[in-house]
Structures are given as C-alpha cells and as structure tokens.
Amino acid sequence: MTDLSAPIKPAAIAMDPHSPGLALRSLVIGLTAFLTVVDLFATQAILPSLTRHYGVTPAAMGFAVNASTFGMAVAGLVVGFFSPHIDRRTGILLSLALLAVPTSLLASAPNLAVFTTLRITQGLCMASAFALTLAYLGEQCSATDAGSAFAAYITGNVASNLIGRLISAAVADGLGLNWNFYFFAALNLAGAVLVYFTIQRVRPMHAMMPAASPLSATFAHWRNPHLRAAFGIGFCILFAFIGTFTFVNFVLVRPPLSLGMMDLGLVYFVFLPSVVTTLLAGRVTTRLGTRPTIWSALAVAGLGLPLMLMPHLGEVLAGMVLVGVGTFFAQAAVTGFVGQAATDNRGIASGTYLACYFCGGLVGTAVLGRLFDEYGWHACVAGIGAALAAAALLTLALKR
C-alpha cells in the first residue's frame, strides 16, 4: 500500500541513514501489518463451511465475507483526509483494540445480514490501523530506512494471506467456527499490545497542510488521467484477486478435487512465492519501468487462469501461484506509481487509490459470484480474465 500521511517538511524526518534499531522496527511493522489485516482474507479458507452454516449460496456468502473491503474503502478515504490531525499511536491502538469487538461478535452472528455488517466494521478498523501505521513510518523513517519499512509491510501483508488462512482452517477444523473468530479477536488484541509497547508517542510532525480542501484535491486527482488510470487498475487487480481466491475454494472442495477443511488451508501455501517476489517489485520497476512491469505481472496472472480450469490439483495450485504472484506484483508497482505521480496531496491520492482498490474487491465478489452461481467456474474465470485485460489496457495511460 502507500503512505497516507500528508506531505511533511524535510526537517521533520531527518534521521541518520540506516538508523539504529532498523531491523527491530522492520520486524515490528511486519508483525503489526500481519496482526492488523490477518482477518481480511483468513475467512475465505472456511467459506464452504460458512455457506453450509448459514444455508446460503456461494455468491451470497462470498459477498458477506468480502464486505470488509467496503469498510476498508471508506476508511481509506477518511484517514487520507484527516491523517494530519490524527495522533498516530492513539489511532493505531484504538483501531486494533476496537477491531477485536466485531471479530469476536462474528462467532455469534445470527444471520447473514449481521455477519455482513460486522465484516464491514472489521474493514473500517483494519484500514484505519494500517493506514496510520504507514503514515507513522513515513514520518519517522529516513529516506534510506523507508524502503526497508515498506518491504516489511508488504511481507507482513502477503504473509497474512498465507498464515491467516492456515490458522483459520486449522482452528475451525479442530475447535469449530465460533472459536475461529475468538482466536482472531485475540490476535487483534495482541496487535494492540505490540503497538503499545513498541510505538512510542512522538513529537507532533509539522505537516504542511494542503492549500486546497480535501474535496477539491480529490477532484484534482480524478482529473489527472494518469492517476485516474492507476485508480482503475487498482480496482481491476483486487476484482481479479478476490474473484480467484474466493470462489476457487468451492472448486477445491467439490469433486473431482474434494479437499477437506485442513487440506483447504494447506492449499494456501501458494502465497509463499509471493512473499519473495513482491519484495522485488520496486527494484524491477526501477529497471524496467512502470508499464512493462505491470504488463508482465498481469501476463503472469493471466497464464494461471487456464491452469485453474484443469481437473488435477497440481495444475490448479500452479494456476493459483501464478495469479497470486502476478496480482501482488502488479499491486506493488501501481502503488509506487501513485505515490510518485501525485505531486501534492499524496495522502488524499493514496486514500482515493485504496478506496478504488477495495471497491474493486467488493464489486468483483458480487459480479463474479453471480457468474459462479449461474454459469459455473469457467464463466467466473472468464470474468477474472476480463478484469486483468482491462487493467492491462488502463496501464497504457500510466505516464509521469
């Protein structure tokens, strides 16, 4: 993701290159990112069980589970607007502590409407916490250290996709659906405790307030064709990613693959290569340029789609690996572009991008869920391919 802080005067972040404690700080931010967003996609690993529990269609349950992306979209905009006025440490602590409330209440949600509302509330808290964490890093790290901090965040984020799903499948399989949500609420509180002991209250940074109002700045970003294209690409990327890793779960548990609950959790080791490849995105983008990097990443994701239509587990897993590597890599490249293309009001530009990105996930769930219910997995994969193709076309407009 990108730094949602307001532009800061250079004197405010002057630190020695490779400041002491960089390794510890990177570990802390990686763990904080992990404990913050681990709820976001972990529930996807138990989608078939939740579908049976509530007696609904895959599309309805997929939409409810991914409703958290709507909350994240709203929070991304709000934090982007008001970031200069929010105390970083207090905001992160409150967001993580409050996140545990809807997470624990999911264990006793009586119907799908309540479940959906609680997932939206989770999204609001998750996005607030990680956006403020990134703002804190942008203000407190030197230019040299910032790259390592960003890499730590990306690693924690990608790792949450893998480990969160493994934990969710294991806990639900061993203790039941209710204990799954209680366990993740405990992880949220652990994140708050980590922040309490590791992120110190610092002297307020003297942010340079933008001359334009937040609303005027938002309109200005939308009038910029390059940023507008980047917003659209972000929308398409999460549209494709969520469509893939939501509905492939139902394919994996049905014949001929017929995986069990724990086996379904282990499948998500497919994200392990993404942990490594995503860290290379910045270096590759610098060498090749933004557009070739994004096109290459989208092509890798596209190559994985026909493999996921095969009847053999090995081929399906290979396709999932390619989609994961390609979409994460493209996301990292587009995120970097937004931070550079927005010449001012970068916090608002980043918040707008995040809102578009997460809205893409929600719309993808709704559209692809309908395709999956009505026409099957092949139609769903075709819709994912269309989203990747749209992102590739929008990439033509990315020029700084």
Side-chain angles (χ1 to χ4, degrees):
M1 301 299 173
T2 50
D3 177 11
L4 301 191
S5 61
I8 302 296
K9 294 180 180 179
I13 57 174
M15 299 173 66
D16 294 331
H18 301 297
S19 57
L22 173 62
L24 178 60
R25 184 165 56 249
S26 296
L27 176 62
V28 168
I29 192 55
L31 285 173
T32 303
F34 171 83
L35 293 170
T36 299
V37 299
V38 69
D39 304 82
L40 183 58
F41 296 120
T43 312
Q44 289 182 348
I46 56 173
L47 261 173
S49 297
L50 287 170
T51 301
R52 291 191 297 271
H53 177 75
Y54 285 102
V56 295
T57 65
M61 197 68 243
F63 184 85
V65 164
N66 293 316
S68 54
T69 58
F70 176 76
M72 298 193 83
V74 172
L77 284 175
V78 172
V79 175
F81 281 10
F82 299 105
S83 176
H85 308 289
I86 301 174
D87 179 83
R88 307 303 187 220
R89 184 174 185 270
T90 302
I92 298 167
L93 277 171
L94 284 176
S95 296
L96 288 173
L98 290 174
L99 175 57
V101 176
T103 303
S104 59
L105 289 176
L106 282 167
S108 55
N111 53 55
L112 201 61
V114 175
F115 188 97
T116 303
T117 302
L118 291 172
R119 285 292 285 173
I120 293 173
T121 307
Q122 278 188 304
L124 290 168
C125 297
M126 281 187 274
S128 299
F130 75 66
L132 290 171
T133 302
L134 288 173
Y136 176 88
L137 284 178
E139 296 167 356
Q140 299 305 316
C141 295
S142 67
T144 304
D145 292 348
S148 298
F150 180 76
Y153 169 75
I154 289 291
T155 302
N157 191 8
V158 177
S160 72
N161 280 269
L162 165 61
I163 301 174
R165 285 175 165 93
L166 290 174
I167 293 173
S168 184
V171 175
D173 189 41
L175 300 176
L177 289 174
N178 292 349
W179 278 102
N180 171 77
F181 296 112
Y182 293 140
F183 187 86
F184 278 94
L187 289 181
N188 299 147
L189 292 176
V193 172
L194 177 66
V195 168
Y196 180 84
F197 286 106
T198 57
I199 294 183
Q200 302 300 317
R201 188 179 302 277
V202 295
R203 182 169 53 87
M205 309 305 294
H206 300 288
M208 295 184 296
M209 298 301 296
S213 69
L215 190 59
S216 298
T218 301
F219 287 144
H221 289 319
W222 276 105
R223 287 193 295 267
N224 184 326
H226 313 312
L227 285 175
R228 194 164 60 239
F231 299 157
I233 295 169
F235 179 96
C236 292
I237 287 174
L238 199 61
F239 184 107
F241 178 86
I242 281 200
T244 299
F245 291 100
T246 295
F247 299 107
V248 74
N249 292 285
F250 298 100
V251 175
L252 292 170
V253 299
R254 294 174 179 174
L257 300 178
S258 303
L259 298 185
M261 175 76 74
M262 196 59 233
D263 292 331
L264 187 61
L266 293 174
V267 157
Y268 286 98
F269 274 107
V270 295
F271 287 120
L272 200 55
S274 299
V275 176
V276 178
T277 57
T278 304
L279 293 174
L280 303 175
R283 188 179 305 173
V284 172
T285 303
T286 301
R287 177 168 295 185
L288 298 182
T290 299
R291 292 193 295 177
T293 299
I294 296 174
W295 279 327
S296 299
L298 293 173
V300 169
L303 289 173
L305 298 184
L307 292 175
M308 292 193 299
L309 298 174
M310 299 294 115
H312 304 295
L313 182 60
E315 293 168 326
V316 175
L317 294 181
M320 294 170 69
V321 168
L322 292 176
V323 172
V325 167
T327 51
F328 275 120
F329 209 92
Q331 160 68 358
V334 180
T335 297
F337 176 86
V338 171
Q340 296 172 14
T343 55
D344 55 11
N345 298 301
R346 287 194 175 109
I348 295 173
S350 298
T352 304
Y353 173 76
L354 288 177
C356 293
Y357 177 73
F358 289 116
C359 279
L362 189 64
V363 174
T365 301
V367 172
L368 296 174
R370 178 59 62 87
L371 288 176
F372 184 82
D373 279 353
E374 297 292 332
Y375 304 105
W377 178 231
H378 282 69
C380 184
V381 170
I384 295 167
L388 294 176
L393 287 175
L394 288 169
T395 303
L396 286 168
L398 296 189
K399 296 179 181 179
R400 286 196 296 271

